[in-house]
Amino acid sequence: MHIGAAFEHEFVDVSATGDHHPFSLQAFRQAEPAGSRLVTVLQNAGLEPENWLPEYGRHQYEITVAPTDAVTAADRAILVRDTVYDVFRAFGREASFAPVITPGGTGNGVHTHIGLRDAEGNNLAWDPSRPGRLSELAGSFAAGIVRHGPALAALFAPLVTSYLRLAPHNWSTARCFLGLQNREALLRICPTNEMDGRDPAPQLHFEFRGGDIGANPWILLGLLLRAGMQGLREGLPTPEIVVGELDLDGAHAGLPQLPRNLEEALETLKADEVVTSWFSPAFLATFEAIKRDEYATVRTRSLAEQCAMYTEVY
Ligand code: GLU
Ligand code: MG
């Protein structure tokens, strides 16, 4: 099986002032000339930018690059971040990828796109006869990620303010489930573009929506692939596919929760013997010690201060 992967980054121009109109041409133009320069630099660097757009949040933007093999995708994630910082700074602006810039504000996600192909390039995830048009193999892969999702949170959402973002009604992950036409899923079957007779078969792939800038992209992608492979190894059945809006007071009340804060996330990671077996004890002990220290230090501040701290760092 061959993996195609890409990281999609959201960030905020924190130096921008004035009105913001989500997704507008005005917001697009407000980023000029940094926006056009960013795309040019990414193109010249061979990072294959695909889409550059104003997002919903206040002075928030999104940049996507073309999929590639897994390791290169993670390399590209780091290069994209540094290019964004550098280009915005060159124009006297400041960009931040922090999960939440101000309490209650829209979050910045780092979404991971994952496609599954065979050696000839055929899409292993595609099966139009099944729910979500998702093959049995891809269903098992998704099941591994969904089953271990809560334990992975400490690594995909490793900052104290990561958990301000991972909440319902936030267009970001509300619960741990596989979704279709649903932006609150941890793992989403991406919508396909079938305009003018475009073929959906090669397009169908997953988007993992839980991650943020605190996650190491190599480790994050490695974890998602390990969890997916675990699902394949055990032949897990396709998880429930939640289609459309989430009804947390009704039909979807029983969907598994993600940890509510970093401390809970560290406990949940420790309790999952499968996920912990993928790491050396020394790695886990070091990670936990650092993160517990970070949690203890940061949580004593007000939410606004917590957000400001991470906005400065990221
Ligand atoms: N900003 C959302 C997040 O925190 C994602 C919005 C979108 O679907 O593009 O993940
Ligand atoms: Mg987005």
Side-chain angles (χ1 to χ4, degrees):
M1 186 164 75
H2 294 257
I3 299 296
F7 286 91
E8 171 187 321
H9 287 86
E10 293 173 336
F11 66 90
V12 167
D13 178 356
V14 289
S15 47
T17 52
D19 287 350
H20 173 77
H21 301 285
F23 308 117
S24 67
L25 178 64
Q26 186 197 52
F28 196 67
R29 293 186 68 246
Q30 271 173 353
E32 288 303 303
S36 294
R37 184 63 64 87
L38 173 65
V39 174
T40 304
V41 173
L42 291 173
Q43 251 157 11
N44 292 346
L47 297 175
E48 301 182 275
E50 276 198 331
N51 211 354
W52 160 243
L53 64 146
E55 256 282 359
Y56 176 71
R58 202 170 158 68
H59 304 300
Q60 186 185 39
Y61 296 91
E62 176 174 307
I63 182 80
T64 67
V65 296
T68 177
D69 67 276
V71 174
T72 307
D75 296 347
R76 283 184 171 185
I78 297 298
L79 294 168
V80 164
R81 295 165 194 189
D82 280 344
T83 307
V84 168
Y85 289 135
D86 285 356
V87 169
F88 273 69
R89 251 172 230 156
F91 288 99
R93 301 183 184 201
E94 205 58 49
S96 178
F97 297 82
V100 178
I101 303 293
T102 47
T106 307
N108 290 315
V110 176
H111 302 165
T112 312
H113 292 260
I114 301 177
L116 311 176
R117 299 196 180 274
D118 68 14
E120 280 77 52
N122 300 307
N123 188 354
L124 291 170
W126 174 254
D127 184 346
S129 71
R130 287 176 37 96
R133 303 188 294 185
L134 196 64
S135 69
E136 200 179 339
L137 176 139
S140 295
F141 186 89
I145 294 176
V146 170
R147 188 175 70 181
H148 295 291
L152 301 179
L155 293 139
F156 68 69
L159 308 178
V160 181
T161 55
S162 297
Y163 296 86
L164 299 179
R165 179 181 154 253
L166 299 177
H169 315 302
N170 221 9
W171 275 17
S172 106
T173 307
R175 293 283 181 95
C176 184
F177 66 95
L178 175 64
L180 179 68
Q181 304 295 0
N182 183 311
R183 296 176 106 81
E184 298 198 278
L186 179 66
L187 188 67
R188 182 166 77 129
I189 304 169
C190 268
T192 51
N193 175 355
E194 292 166 46
M195 276 190 291
D196 302 326
R198 285 183 179 83
D199 184 6
Q203 298 177 38
L204 196 99
H205 72 279
F206 294 116
E207 177 190 39
F208 179 82
R209 297 177 56 81
D212 67 44
I213 197 71
N216 173 311
W218 293 279
I219 294 178
L220 172 55
L221 206 38
L223 277 174
L224 296 177
L225 300 184
R226 273 310 270 269
M229 277 157 48
Q230 188 69 27
L232 290 179
R233 207 168 279 133
E234 293 184 40
L236 296 181
T238 304
E240 177 191 358
I241 302 174
V242 175
V243 184
E245 286 293 301
L246 209 52
D247 176 13
L248 285 177
D249 299 320
H252 307 125
L255 287 174
Q257 308 253 10
L258 287 172
R260 285 164 305 176
N261 58 54
L262 183 56
E263 190 174 44
E264 225 177 271
L266 292 167
E267 293 300 329
T268 311
L269 170 61
K270 257 176 51 178
D272 188 322
E273 286 173 11
V274 175
V275 174
T276 50
S277 76
W278 302 336
F279 294 96
S280 72
F283 174 93
L284 283 176
T286 308
F287 180 73
E288 184 182 350
I290 291 170
K291 286 293 156 184
R292 282 199 187 276
D293 187 58
E294 180 175 333
Y295 184 68
T297 311
V298 176
R299 69 188 289 251
T300 59
R301 320 267 179 110
S302 71
L303 286 185
E305 284 169 341
Q306 294 180 16
C307 290
M309 271 176 68
Y310 284 116
T311 298
E312 177 78 26
V313 175
Y314 292 101

